[in-house]
Amino acid sequence: MPTAVAVTSPELVLPSPDRHTPPAAILQSAEPGERGGSLDRTLAEIYTLVEQHGHVLVVHPAAAPPALVHRLHAARAALETDRLALVGVDLPPLGTALLALQLRQLSICDFSPGVLASAARLLAHYLHAGAVLGSVARLDQVPVGLKAHAKSWLPGSQFAVLARPEPQLVRLSGDQDPGLKAPGFPTRLVVAEGGLPAERVTGALARAWHVREVTPTKLPAASADWWGTSKLTEFAAAIPDISVLYQLVSSVRREECHWCGLELIGDRCAFCAAPLPPPGERGRRALPATRPAPGRLRGREPAPALARTAPAAAGRALPAARDPRLAPALDTGAAPPGAPQAPAGPTGGPATGVHALRPAQREAPADWGPHRPYEDPHQPPPPPRSRNPRP
């Protein structure tokens, strides 16, 4: 079963160019206008796709509403699965749909799910997305100069804008070539007509870019917000041949993710978002060898019990106590006959810890006080002195 490629809106689904390309899965709960209970529906839809296909790639625009993106991440966290990749694409709506189509074409190849998901960033560099706009006054996706901003208020003004891979803005006049930077390879051009006619794109632009095929389609509803105007004609050009796409992805060096174990191309895993370690640290795995397989949903299993240390063997000397008062309780037995006696501790038992390092007898220095004379035990003690002697 090939890896499923899902989108968040039916407007991001382009018709398949052949009968071998699998259809895209549409998350109905992610469509605009959904309210309470949409998280439960998203969980049910994603869980069904994971069980049917094994791995799922959800392609969504990077400019999608934050509530939608949070809902997708919440669903991934609730399912506790590493078989779901959320691929955010920083492209115009029509370019996002064309990229999802390329991923659907490559899903039937022998690429692993990790390579297929991380190939989205690679394919986006070879995709040219732009539009012909009637005004650039509200365009914030591409840098707009002050002169072009002022001319956009003139009646009948039109601009050719290229958003990806390199931003470019040209003011149009007449029917000549817009002058946008053309791709250096044969492409397939997808055109979506809005409030402006598409003859300029399908005519002069297609001839200048040496386009092999022009495919008309419906304009996505999100294009007006992305481009800042409803008077536009959006277009996107990409590599049409699946064999060229296969060679492009196959030529990139593959690495193994040190976290989830999947293959990847580039510098970041699309499933667990773990970055690729530096070259000197590659090959070291951060997870133990007994980690669960990537193709299984991880459940809430109890953590394994920690191994307890074995008790000390009989007759093994215990370490010295930090408190000298505990020394007699830790005595394991009397010293054998003939053994040198250890110095006595403060409680009468054998000294331990710091007391064992002190000498048994220590003479007081002479300057500690007056020396008391030797007292004979057979002599009676001297009479006590009166405190109040008579004068």
Side-chain angles (χ1 to χ4, degrees):
M1 203 67 170
T3 303
V5 178
V7 293
T8 57
S9 174
E11 298 176 349
L12 300 179
V13 180
L14 294 178
S16 303
D18 50 58
R19 60 185 181 88
H20 302 288
T21 303
I26 304 175
L27 299 180
Q28 302 294 337
S29 59
E31 296 182 18
E34 292 291 335
R35 296 185 179 180
S38 57
L39 179 58
D40 297 337
R41 295 182 56 188
T42 304
L43 286 172
E45 290 177 343
I46 294 179
Y47 180 80
T48 303
L49 291 175
V50 170
E51 290 297 320
Q52 292 178 353
H53 298 270
H55 291 80
V56 179
L57 312 180
V58 179
V59 180
H60 65 88
L68 171 60
V69 180
H70 295 166
R71 189 189 313 158
L72 294 175
H73 284 276
R76 187 183 188 278
L79 293 176
E80 295 184 349
T81 177
D82 54 0
R83 296 188 289 169
L84 174 64
L86 304 178
V87 183
V89 181
D90 189 15
L91 290 172
L94 190 59
T96 303
L98 188 55
L99 179 61
L101 176 61
Q102 291 182 331
L103 293 177
R104 290 160 49 194
Q105 290 178 306
L106 293 177
S107 64
I108 61 176
C109 301
D110 56 351
F111 293 125
S112 62
V115 174
L116 180 63
S118 54
R121 297 176 57 189
L122 174 64
L123 299 179
H125 290 286
Y126 294 90
L127 196 146
H128 291 61
V132 175
L133 308 178
S135 175
V136 293
R138 298 181 179 180
L139 179 62
D140 56 357
Q141 302 290 343
V142 177
V144 179
L146 182 60
K147 185 176 181 181
H149 187 275
K151 291 184 178 181
S152 63
W153 295 97
L154 298 177
S157 299
Q158 293 185 5
F159 300 85
V161 182
L162 187 64
R164 302 291 184 274
E166 296 180 2
Q168 189 179 0
L169 189 148
V170 179
R171 186 173 182 269
L172 300 178
S173 59
D175 297 335
Q176 72 276 11
D177 176 24
L180 298 179
K181 185 178 180 180
F185 46 85
T187 59
R188 172 195 178 196
L189 187 64
V190 181
V191 183
E193 183 178 349
L196 294 179
E199 285 77 8
R200 188 185 296 272
V201 177
T202 57
L205 181 66
R207 291 191 298 267
W209 283 13
H210 304 284
V211 175
R212 290 184 177 181
E213 179 185 358
V214 178
T215 304
T217 186
K218 183 180 179 181
L219 182 69
S223 297
D225 295 337
W226 203 94
W227 295 102
T229 179
S230 58
K231 295 182 179 181
L232 77 158
T233 297
E234 189 175 4
F235 59 87
I239 301 175
D241 196 351
I242 186 176
S243 61
V244 179
L245 295 176
Y246 181 86
Q247 294 178 2
L248 179 63
V249 178
S250 301
S251 61
V252 183
R253 179 180 177 179
R254 304 183 187 182
E255 301 287 347
E256 183 179 358
C257 180
H258 70 287
W259 184 257
C260 64
L262 294 177
E263 287 185 325
L264 60 94
I265 58 176
D267 59 350
R268 184 175 296 273
C269 180
F271 279 87
C272 64
L276 193 66
E281 300 181 1
R282 295 178 187 177
R284 303 177 183 177
R285 302 190 59 90
L287 293 181
T290 58
R291 61 177 178 84
R296 178 184 177 186
L297 287 174
R298 291 198 295 264
R300 299 182 179 272
E301 300 177 357
L306 297 177
R308 299 175 180 265
T309 57
R316 182 179 177 182
L318 296 177
R322 297 183 179 180
D323 193 349
R325 294 174 295 178
L326 301 179
L330 297 179
D331 188 11
T332 57
Q341 297 293 333
T347 59
T352 57
V354 180
H355 302 283
L357 303 178
R358 296 178 180 177
Q361 296 180 358
R362 182 177 182 181
E363 296 182 357
D367 57 349
W368 276 21
H371 177 70
R372 299 181 61 181
Y374 174 77
E375 299 178 355
D376 190 357
H378 301 283
Q379 296 293 333
R385 296 181 181 180
S386 176
R387 295 184 179 179
N388 298 320
R390 294 180 182 182

